[in-house]
Amino acid sequence: QVQVVESGGGLVQAGGSLRLSCAASRSIFSINLMGWHRQAPGKQREMVATISSAGRINYDDSVKGRFTISRDNAENTVYLQMDSLKSEGTAVYYCAAVTFLTTYWGHGTQVTVSS
């Protein structure tokens, strides 16, 4: 079992940057996949970025070139650097830890981008 806690959300103007952090309760070295997802008001949750235990990275097309996901296995933390934020980036951002058995979700952190 693993618990994940997100932090770093807030209010930012369009064009600005934020860095989200996802702290895990245990080592993430062997966790298959760590990822960031977001859910905007009235919309379904969608994948933003994922990073595998082997370091393979995947981004949604809408954030490619602007967002960067990284993981620090020593700190049991995954980061999401978000640059050039757009108003459509307003959402609750969730961290997910995907294991063979199940996916563990955090409670989310609110990101609001003002235009």
Side-chain angles (χ1 to χ4, degrees):
Q1 190 174 6
V2 58
Q3 294 177 330
V4 291
V5 178
E6 305 93 339
S7 62
L11 174 64
V12 63
Q13 287 187 334
S17 298
L18 281 176
R19 188 176 81 154
L20 305 183
S21 299
C22 169
S25 60
R26 66 164 179 84
S27 172
I28 63 171
F29 181 79
S30 61
I31 294 179
N32 298 339
L33 195 70
M34 298 292 298
W36 287 97
H37 302 248
R38 66 186 178 189
Q39 187 167 16
K43 295 187 177 181
Q44 290 187 333
R45 192 173 299 188
E46 62 180 6
M47 185 276 290
V48 175
T50 60
I51 183 167
S52 73
S53 56
R56 183 171 181 175
I57 291 173
N58 187 37
Y59 294 105
D60 182 76
D61 286 345
S62 65
V63 305
K64 283 182 180 177
R66 299 187 297 116
F67 289 14
T68 304
I69 189 171
S70 60
R71 62 193 290 164
D72 185 335
N73 290 336
E75 296 294 329
N76 300 330
T77 302
V78 176
Y79 301 99
L80 184 68
Q81 177 66 41
M82 305 187 294
D83 298 319
S84 302
L85 280 161
K86 302 178 181 179
S87 57
E88 52 262 42
T90 294
V92 178
Y93 285 71
Y94 297 91
C95 178
V98 181
T99 69
F100 285 115
L101 295 177
T102 190
T103 298
Y104 298 92
W105 293 94
H107 292 295
T109 185
Q110 176 71 45
V111 172
T112 302
V113 184
S114 63
S115 57

